[in-house]
Each structure stands twice: as structure tokens, then as C-alpha cells.
């Protein structure tokens, strides 16, 4: 019509393009989550079982996958796995004063894992220690550094937003890409360790069907790692998930960030240990000993953990109100205390979250242990290698 803009209809993508897109989705899902059945693959990708069958048949004819008959929930099924790349994925975690290094194939076959204290005092010291351990392990495996597909490295929470001296701030203002290039000579991706631990939950753990996970890491600073729709969330300055600085106590103690009553002042591992040690009149105490006391039903320890659980539950309810994850996973040494900490956390979460969230959000303890962030890092490398 004259004087009217001509309307055009968008044409759908071609069938070959759609097939390539669906195939890539299947390959990336297998790279991220490891071996799985055809039925689960359909649920994870949102593709029909018929489409999955066709893609599996095509990938099998190209020798890109392996298929193995298995029993799943009492029924015969076919497990699908990417054909293992002879090279390895490197995942590392440099948080909490520990060096954790994991080497795995793209099919999630773990070849090596190291967990030791970090030595030195600078980022360069820590990366060189990591490089030495990497070289040792690849030699033991009969490989070289050229056989490393790539690396993802978890770091402590960023502290750029806070003023003053901070024990966690050695990575602030560091050009990590340049430092890694000099140290390793291959691509390295850096991310908050808590976010990588969350990625592990949707890659290796029992919550692989969840696309959105919040992982609460209990330690020097309680921090939540976020994976939303299978993507890591770090924020503009890496401060996403810093629930340690949510106010949970009105007019409470002054926090190192400058505010009062932050979660950090009641739920950091140092504060928990301090409260239990004072109640027990002990001069030296560790997180592991606090866990032991909780398992022995020591009354002062149970009271401290109850208060901590209440504060954590309220903070997690605020997080879930904003991002609405499928699952919240609790990790860290203190989480090993189990019910004395988790029961009051569940109760406080249920009271503080809106009913629909409280009923639909799964809150559970991490099953992957201290390897979680390194496992998530390796899975991130595996997924990137298939892109």
C-alpha cells in the first residue's frame, strides 16, 4: 500500500543450519556434563527424542561419540559419551589458601588431582607453583604442556570494591591474562572459584539437570557462586554473589567493608572458630575440630552453628528472591557439620523466602567436596573446546 512501510516476513533458518545448531547443542552438553543417556540428553537439551536419536546416529557414524548399553532406573538404556580427546583439560582453584589442580579428559575421566597449601605471597608465586605441579603431572601421564587443551583457574572473591588492607586482595589490579601467558604459554580463563564450584554442580554433580545453581562456599568469606542458564555470573567487578556483605544483624559489629552487621561478621569461618574457642576456653581450634564437636553434640558448638545457620538461611532467601535458581548447594568445611548447621539454615530459608520459592528451591549440601571448583573449571575448558 502507498505510504505504508512494506512488511517483510522473516524466513525460518534452513534445515541444515538448524541441524548443525542442534548437533552443537548436544556436543556442548556432553562436553559440559559428561556421559549421559539419550533420554537425559533430550531433557537437558530440550530436543525431542527423535532428534536426539538422529544426532546420536550421525555423531556415532563420524566416530565423535561412543555408545554403551547401561541400566538406568531399572531399564535398559544407551549411554552417550564424547570420544575422549587424548589431550587434557586443566582446572585449578587458588582460593582459601590452597592449590587444587585437576586434570581430566573431555569425557570427564579424571587423570590427576592435587590439593596442597599455596606457597609464596604473590599471584606470580601462586601461578608458578601451579605450573610446576602441572608439569610434574603431565610428565607422569606421558604428556607435555602442548597436550593441555586449555585452563580455567578459580580465584578468591574480588576485593576491588573495598578499601584498606585485605588478606584476599592480592589478585586485585593484576593483569591475569598477561601473567598467565608468561607462566603457561597457553590460553587461561580466570573466574571466581565459587562460580566454578557452581558450574561443577551442573556439570559433574547430582544436580546436572539444573540449569541455574547458587553455590554457597563457606570459608574465610561466605560467598555465592552463580550459574544462570548454564552461564557463570561474575558481575562487572567480580562482586556478584558477595553475600558476606549483606546486613543480617541490625547495628551489629563493624565489617571490614565498612558497614555494620554484615554476614561476614557472624558466619565467616574465622568468626565461627573464634566463638566456639571462646565458649570452650580453647587457645587453638580449627574448622575441622568445630565439625567434630558438632558431631559430638557439644552444646556451645551447636548453639554457634544454629546462629550461623539462621543468618545464612536469611541471606540465601534474599539471593533466591533475586535470581531464583533451581538449586542452592552448600559447600566448605563447615558444611560437613551437617544437620547442626543445615537444619537451622533450612528453617530460616523457609521463613524468609516467599512460599513459592521455599517450596520449589532445592537446598542441599555439596557432594563434590573440595574438588568442586577445580572440577567446574575443567568442565568449562571441555565445553569451550567443543565450541
Amino acid at each position: 500500500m502507498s505510504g505504508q512501510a512494506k512488511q517483510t516476513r522473516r524466513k525460518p533458518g534452513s534445515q541444515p543450519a538448524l541441524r548443525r545448531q542442534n548437533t552443537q547443542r548436544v556436543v556442548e552438553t556432553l562436553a559440559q556434563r559428561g556421559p549421559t543417556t539419550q533420554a537425559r540428553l533430550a531433557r537437558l537439551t530440550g530436543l525431542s527424542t527423535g532428534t536426539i536419536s538422529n544426532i546420536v546416529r550421525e555423531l556415532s557414524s563420524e566416530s565423535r561419540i561412543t555408545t554403551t548399553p547401561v541400566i538406568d532406573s531399572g531399564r535398559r538404556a544407551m549411554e552417550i559419551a564424547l570420544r575422549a580427546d587424548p589431550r587434557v583439560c586443566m582446572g585449578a582453584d587458588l582460593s582459601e589458601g590452597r592449590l587444587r589442580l585437576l586434570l581430566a579428559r573431555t569425557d570427564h575421566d579424571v587423570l590427576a588431582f592435587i590439593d596442597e597449601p599455596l606457597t609464596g605471597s604473590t599471584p606470580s608465586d601462586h601461578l608458578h607453583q601451579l605450573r610446576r605441579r602441572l608439569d610434574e603431572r603431565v610428565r607422569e601421564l606421558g604428556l607435555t604442556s602442548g597436550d593441555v587443551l586449555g585452563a580455567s583457574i578459580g580465584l578468591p572473591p574480588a576485593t576491588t570494591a573495598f578499601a584498606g588492607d585485605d588478606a584476599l586482595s592480592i589478585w586485585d589490579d593484576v593483569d591475569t591474562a598477561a601473567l598467565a601467558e608468561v607462566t603457561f604459554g597457553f590460553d587461561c580463563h580466570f573466574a571466581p572459584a565459587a562460580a566454578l564450584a557452581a558450574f561443577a554442580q551442573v556439570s559433574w554433580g547430582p544436580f546436572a539437570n539444573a540449569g541455574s545453581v547458587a553455590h554457597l562456599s563457606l570459608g574465610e568469606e561466605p560467598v555465592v557462586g552463580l550459574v544462570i542458564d548454564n552461564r557463570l555470573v561474575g558481575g562487572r567487578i567480580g562482586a556478584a554473589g558477595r553475600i558476606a556483605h549483606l546486613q543480617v544483624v541490625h547495628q551489629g559489629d563493624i565489617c571490614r567493608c565498612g558497614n555494620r552487621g554484615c554476614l561476614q561478621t557472624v558466619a565467616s569461618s574465622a568468626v565461627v572458630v573464634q566463638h566456639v574457642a571462646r565458649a570452650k576456653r580453647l587457645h587453638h581450634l580449627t574448622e575441622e575440630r568445630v565439625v567434630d564437636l558438632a558431631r559430638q553434640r557439644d552444646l556451645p558448638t551447636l548453639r554457634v552453628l544454629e546462629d550461623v545457620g539462621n543468618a545464612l538461611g536469611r541471606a540465601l532467601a534474599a539471593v533466591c528472591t533475586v535470581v531464583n535458581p533451581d538449586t542452592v548447594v552448600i559447600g566448605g568445611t563447615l558444611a560437613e557439620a551437617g544437620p547442626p548447621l543445615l537444619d537451622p539454615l533450612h528453617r530460616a530459608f523457609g521463613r524468609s523466602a516467599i512460599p513459592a520459592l521455599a517450596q520449589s528451591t532445592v537446598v542441599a549440601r555439596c557432594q563434590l567436596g573440595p574438588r568442586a571448583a577445580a572440577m567446574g573449571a575443567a568442565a568449562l575448558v571441555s565445553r569451550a573446546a567443543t565450541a
Side-chain angles (χ1 to χ4, degrees):
M1 254 191 252
S2 174
Q4 291 185 354
K6 184 178 179 180
Q7 293 183 344
T8 59
R9 296 180 62 185
R10 296 179 61 187
K11 295 182 179 180
S14 66
Q15 284 298 321
L18 181 59
R19 185 177 301 169
R20 286 194 298 271
Q21 181 181 359
N22 289 341
T23 299
Q24 185 63 25
R25 188 187 308 178
V26 168
V27 171
E28 288 181 355
T29 300
L30 289 171
Q32 175 183 329
R33 302 174 189 271
T36 189
T37 63
Q38 287 193 202
R40 286 205 190 105
L41 200 51
R43 291 195 294 272
L44 291 170
T45 60
L47 300 174
S48 69
T49 54
T51 299
I52 291 294
S53 295
N54 290 334
I55 292 174
V56 166
R57 191 179 304 114
E58 182 178 328
L59 291 174
S60 183
S61 68
E62 296 171 357
S63 298
R64 296 174 63 186
I65 62 171
T66 60
T67 57
T68 307
V70 295
I71 301 297
D72 182 44
S73 300
R75 297 181 178 181
R76 287 184 295 179
M78 191 66 68
E79 185 177 75
I80 315 300
L82 285 180
R83 190 171 294 277
D85 192 307
R87 296 170 295 174
V88 296
C89 305
M90 170 183 149
D93 173 13
L94 301 181
S95 65
E96 296 290 329
R98 308 291 299 181
L99 181 153
R100 296 181 174 110
L101 167 66
L102 184 138
L103 298 177
R105 305 280 192 197
T106 54
D107 64 352
H108 285 207
D109 179 21
V110 176
L111 304 177
F113 177 68
I114 298 172
D115 185 348
E116 67 182 27
L118 281 167
T119 59
S121 58
T122 68
S124 180
D125 293 335
H126 295 171
L127 290 186
H128 279 94
Q129 180 184 354
L130 179 59
R131 177 60 196 259
R132 290 193 300 272
R133 295 295 178 261
L134 171 66
D135 289 343
E136 291 169 2
R137 290 302 176 268
V138 296
R139 280 198 301 269
E140 291 172 1
L141 295 169
L143 304 172
T144 69
S145 60
D147 294 309
V148 179
L149 273 168
S152 186
I153 300 173
L155 299 180
T159 56
T160 310
F162 307 116
D165 294 333
D166 194 315
L168 301 178
S169 66
I170 65 169
W171 289 94
D172 286 356
D173 302 320
V174 173
D175 187 343
T176 53
L179 186 56
E181 184 177 358
V182 171
T183 307
F184 295 100
F186 51 77
D187 289 340
C188 291
H189 173 268
F190 290 84
L196 292 173
F199 194 69
Q201 306 304 320
V202 300
S203 303
W204 300 74
F207 309 109
N209 289 333
S212 299
V213 167
H215 182 283
L216 170 61
S217 298
L218 300 177
E220 294 179 36
E221 176 182 321
V223 60
V224 167
L226 296 170
V227 169
I228 305 298
D229 294 331
N230 284 309
R231 296 186 179 278
L232 277 69
V233 177
R236 186 175 64 83
I237 60 172
R242 300 296 295 276
I243 67 167
H245 302 287
L246 291 177
Q247 187 183 49
V248 294
V249 180
H250 183 62
Q251 292 300 311
D253 293 339
I254 295 178
C255 178
R256 61 184 174 83
C257 73
N259 291 329
R260 280 189 178 275
C262 292
L263 184 66
Q264 174 75 11
T265 65
V266 297
S268 73
S269 57
V271 170
V272 173
V273 168
Q274 178 185 351
H275 286 336
V276 175
R278 185 167 58 240
K280 301 292 292 179
R281 298 184 179 181
L282 298 172
H283 296 293
H284 178 71
L285 197 63
T286 63
E287 291 178 76
E288 290 78 10
R289 181 57 180 151
V290 170
V291 171
D292 288 339
L293 289 169
R295 290 171 176 168
Q296 296 167 17
R297 309 299 297 175
D298 176 72
L299 291 179
T301 303
L302 293 180
R303 181 54 192 266
V304 170
L305 292 180
E306 181 179 5
D307 291 345
V308 172
N310 283 329
L312 290 171
R314 295 197 303 273
L316 286 173
V319 171
C320 292
T321 299
V322 175
V323 298
N324 189 22
D326 302 303
T327 305
V328 175
V329 180
I330 318 296
T333 300
L334 289 177
E336 296 174 12
L341 175 71
L342 300 183
D343 285 353
L345 186 155
H346 278 97
R347 289 193 294 270
F349 181 82
R351 288 193 303 267
S352 304
I354 60 177
L357 281 175
Q359 294 167 12
S360 63
T361 306
V362 176
V363 181
R365 201 175 107 194
C366 177
Q367 302 297 312
L368 301 178
R371 301 198 302 177
M375 294 172 77
L380 198 63
V381 174
S382 178
R383 187 177 74 171
T386 68

